Amino acid sequence: MITKNSFYADPRRGGMILTKKRCVIAGLLLMIVNGSVAFAQITRTQATPAEMVDALHAAFGKHPNARAVHAKGVFLEGTFAPAAIAKNLSMAPHLQYRTLPVMVRFSDFTGIPDISDTTGGSNPRGMAIKFQLGNGKSTDIIAHSFNGFPVATTDEFREFLLNISRSGPKAPHPNAIEQFLGTHPIAKHFVTTQKPPSVSYGTLSYFGVNSFKFINSKGISCYIRYQIIPEAGEQFLTAAQFKNTGDNYLSEEIKTRIGAGAVKFKLYAQVAETGDKIENPSIAWPNERKRILLGTITISRLADNSLEADKALIYNPGNLPKGIEIADPMVADRARLYPVSVKERQQSH
């Protein structure tokens, strides 16, 4: 049964094959008709940012001071060291030469701040990274632990959320979300193939499902999606281990892990090729696509996790420097939605 507190079915273990081929970025230009990547006609989003925030609250409840989604999380600090090749892809300042501080937030899904780490509805896990560029400037990456998104557009996501809200325990079957999944196979795949419980936030791969345009200093551009891969590899709990976990085992585990040593991730750009859907986050690009190492994220210590710090720290996928541009409309919608949600939780009591 799908409810607000448990809306994923039992997850099955998933995986992907990663390629080490080099990227040749020359000639990767986006064309509408016969170009190197597919770009469908874009329709204007009908839902307003406020309506999207309301849909999140309808699905998960409205909780004072909490984020509308990925409400439960933990902040950590570290550094990002760019790879030498990264500057060839983009002129963005954090992809040049020097190591920069980062603020990382791991989280559970939903807008429920006390959701148990052990319930299916807490998947996919989230990872947000704020790169501190200096002079008060920053840029953000937001990713989650599933390579893909349940729907193609913001309006479809609102419909998805509203159907969750209409599918309480007393709703007759097939309830609203079950009917929605019956006609949306990609959403059903998202719901039913989440990864099993992980050993740690630090032993999961994370994917930026939205596309961005990278532009280098020579004006050469390519279209990418982010992949964030743990150096420790993906690790999942056995059934016996899972029985011994608690509601907050992931935040407790990452604090212990950081205390014993740094946690590292490799940040990659997966580069689009012919036929890839730039504007549709529900369709993952093939595993064989070229991946370029952008750098290494080293998480070394726990950050301030007070309510005040939580309210002050904002991640926005539209917070982009020169050299990176929005390449699919959902990013623009998300960038408009975040300030509405932030203002609302800042005013909560």
Side-chain angles (χ1 to χ4, degrees), residues 224-235:
I224 70 97
R225 287 176 179 170
Y226 295 110
Q227 295 187 0
I228 309 168
I229 311 300
E231 283 199 351
E234 288 203 306
Q235 300 173 23

Side-chain angles (χ1 to χ4, degrees), residues 283-347:
I283 300 178
W285 298 344
N287 297 333
E288 294 77 19
R289 291 294 177 259
K290 302 176 184 71
R291 292 191 314 150
I292 306 302
L293 179 64
L294 299 179
T296 301
I297 302 158
T298 301
I299 304 170
S300 55
R301 58 192 175 274
L302 190 68
D304 182 0
N305 278 270
S306 66
L307 176 61
E308 292 73 19
D310 181 49
K311 291 177 68 174
L313 195 58
I314 300 164
Y315 294 92
N316 190 324
N319 178 26
L320 302 174
K322 184 177 181 181
I324 304 177
E325 296 178 358
I326 290 172
D328 76 61
M330 189 176 285
V331 182
D333 291 338
R334 292 176 70 179
R336 289 188 289 265
L337 181 154
Y338 278 59
V340 174
S341 177
V342 168
K343 181 179 180 180
E344 183 179 88
R345 70 183 176 89
Q346 299 288 355
Q347 295 173 341

